Amino acid sequence: MPPTLFKGIALFTPGGDLIYCIDPSKQGRWHLHLCATLQEILDLPEPPHFLVPCYTATVDRWLDPRTQKIQVFAEAYPTVMRHQAVLNAIFSTGELAWQPTPWAEGLCDRMVLSGYRSTFPQLWEDHDLVVRLELSDPVPSYYQPVVSTEQQSKTQGYVLRLFVAGHSAATERILKNLHELLEKYLSYPYTLKVIDVLTNPEQAEIDQVSATPTLVKVWPQPIRRIAGDLDNVEKILQMLGTAENF
């Protein structure tokens, strides 16, 4: 049974698997922990943070100081509202009616989500998983992409992340210049993912990004990052290590 007062967070996959936690202290950043554990269980290339604004549900049981009565507030994104019976079962909330959480514009579009399917096919499979993450479970603060030694020797390409704060003319200019630079100087394929820290702060924390714009080279290792001046071609090429790696 859950404690009398707690915060509960559940994370579903598009395939229907579920991982959740119950936090009496209401202080943990459990979305990060759930994503990291899901990565480990399903052997994903990185934590699936893109699921958080689309496939989560939260419940809060708190004591109203004025009435001294326990209040319950529960909300879930539209994609997981059909799982209300499961949510009530794991959080022992009876026949509670969950409130729908408004969509995060631009993050939960079907086309956007489908773009992740080729990289994270396990998330679209149903493994009949219902996993409770306990407070005592050790969770690394940073999960490296899961790549075997054999895969490393065959991998020829770059995985890059550009962290920005909102969409603006300056962001578009940086992205345009960066694409031109990468097309001109990289002799191997690359993937560049743009991440808005205003809507995805969890990924910024995982990648240890504290300022924008920041460019992070995830692969090839070692991980490198450059913040601020993304107009300095020489500095970017030095970060990418094109001369020494390729």
Side-chain angles (χ1 to χ4, degrees):
M1 289 289 292
T4 304
L5 305 178
F6 68 91
K7 181 177 181 179
I9 303 176
L11 174 66
F12 289 86
T13 68
D17 293 324
L18 165 64
I19 182 169
Y20 70 100
C21 67
I22 294 173
D23 182 10
S25 69
K26 303 186 181 184
Q27 295 178 350
R29 293 183 64 88
W30 284 100
H31 288 101
L32 299 180
H33 296 177
L34 295 177
C35 288
T37 303
L38 199 58
Q39 176 196 8
E40 184 177 36
I41 292 173
L42 298 180
D43 194 24
L44 304 175
E46 61 182 278
H49 294 121
F50 59 89
L51 293 179
V52 173
C54 310
Y55 287 91
T56 52
T58 58
V59 57
D60 193 0
R61 284 178 58 98
W62 52 282
L63 184 66
D64 188 327
R66 185 175 60 84
T67 64
Q68 291 299 303
K69 291 184 178 180
I70 293 177
Q71 303 293 326
V72 182
F73 178 74
E75 60 179 1
Y77 280 103
T79 46
V80 299
M81 285 291 286
R82 60 191 176 94
H83 297 300
Q84 287 187 64
V86 175
L87 291 168
N88 283 329
I90 63 175
F91 293 125
S92 299
T93 45
E95 297 182 0
L96 182 68
W98 291 61
Q99 301 297 317
T101 306
W103 284 110
E105 289 297 330
L107 294 177
C108 298
D109 182 88
R110 287 185 179 181
M111 293 298 293
V112 173
L113 290 173
S114 65
Y116 291 99
R117 190 162 185 168
S118 60
T119 307
F120 301 87
Q122 304 95 314
L123 295 177
W124 273 260
E125 301 167 359
D126 186 359
H127 304 90
D128 292 323
L129 288 179
V130 178
V131 179
R132 176 173 175 175
L133 181 61
E134 299 292 345
L135 285 164
S136 58
D137 292 349
V139 179
S141 59
Y142 181 79
Y143 267 63
Q144 299 281 2
V146 179
V147 184
S148 67
T149 304
E150 181 180 357
Q151 286 175 312
Q152 290 180 17
S153 63
K154 294 180 180 179
T155 301
Q156 293 181 322
Y158 290 87
V159 178
L160 306 169
R161 295 178 185 144
L162 175 64
F163 289 85
V164 298
H167 296 286
S168 64
T171 298
E172 292 180 6
R173 180 184 61 80
I174 291 171
L175 190 56
K176 178 177 180 294
N177 292 344
L178 195 54
H179 270 303
E180 291 178 354
L181 183 150
L182 296 174
E183 290 290 337
K184 181 176 180 180
Y185 290 101
L186 295 189
S187 55
Y188 286 97
Y190 68 89
T191 60
L192 175 64
K193 183 187 295 184
V194 181
I195 300 169
D196 187 347
V197 299
L198 301 181
T199 56
N200 199 348
E202 293 86 0
Q203 184 65 56
E205 182 175 329
I206 287 292
D207 278 316
Q208 303 172 11
V209 171
S210 57
T212 58
T214 292
L215 179 65
V216 179
K217 181 193 70 170
V218 179
W219 186 261
Q221 295 184 358
I223 294 173
R224 292 283 186 265
R225 48 182 65 77
I226 181 174
D229 185 11
L230 297 184
D231 291 324
N232 190 323
V233 174
E234 184 179 351
K235 198 172 180 181
I236 293 176
L237 293 179
Q238 184 178 5
M239 183 204 78
L240 294 175
T242 53
E244 35 181 87
N245 289 325
F246 299 101

